[in-house]
Amino acid sequence: MRPTILAFNLSLSRLNLLKLAAIRLNLAVETVQPLEQSRTVGDLFGLGTRAATAHVPPVFDAEMLIFGGMENQQINALLATLRQMQVPPFPLKAILTPTNAAWRCGELYAELCKERQQFQR
């Protein structure tokens, strides 16, 4: 799998900045449209992963990034590049795993929101 970033709900300006940083590091960026949010994370990465549940979470409108096929050093380099470019942080980020590949995007979003709330406490 080519190192890819799935981008959800980014404004055009933030998406363009993300793409600029990604190009510098030879990473692909794919924009996920709201109608695609009912698909599984793995399916969006081309893995053909089926959902573990029949429940379809609602569409969300917050920014979220998912990194797939990337080494930790690539993720760190991307985040460092974005900081150097003075791009405000993306609060919801995840790495593709065998577990979350079967989750629908809304399920991953809900889990990241829970983790973020726990972290902020």
Side-chain angles (χ1 to χ4, degrees), residues 16-75:
N16 286 337
L17 290 168
L18 176 63
K19 286 181 176 181
L20 181 61
I23 287 170
R24 293 177 182 178
L25 301 167
N26 198 28
L27 306 170
V29 176
E30 298 291 332
T31 303
V32 179
Q33 301 301 320
L35 292 176
E36 297 177 296
Q37 290 182 10
S38 64
R39 295 172 61 191
T40 65
V41 173
D43 191 34
L44 290 172
F45 277 107
L47 302 176
T49 310
R50 292 182 171 249
T53 64
H55 171 70
V56 178
V59 172
F60 57 92
D61 61 0
E63 292 182 337
M64 182 170 77
L65 301 179
I66 307 175
F67 307 114
M70 296 172 64
E71 301 291 329
N72 285 340
Q73 67 191 76
Q74 291 174 301
I75 295 169

Side-chain angles (χ1 to χ4, degrees), residues 11-12 31 47 49 79 83 88 100 112 114 117:
S11 68
L12 184 57
T31 303
L47 302 176
T49 310
L79 297 176
R83 276 191 302 274
N100 69 24
L112 289 174
K114 280 188 230 175
Q117 286 175 346

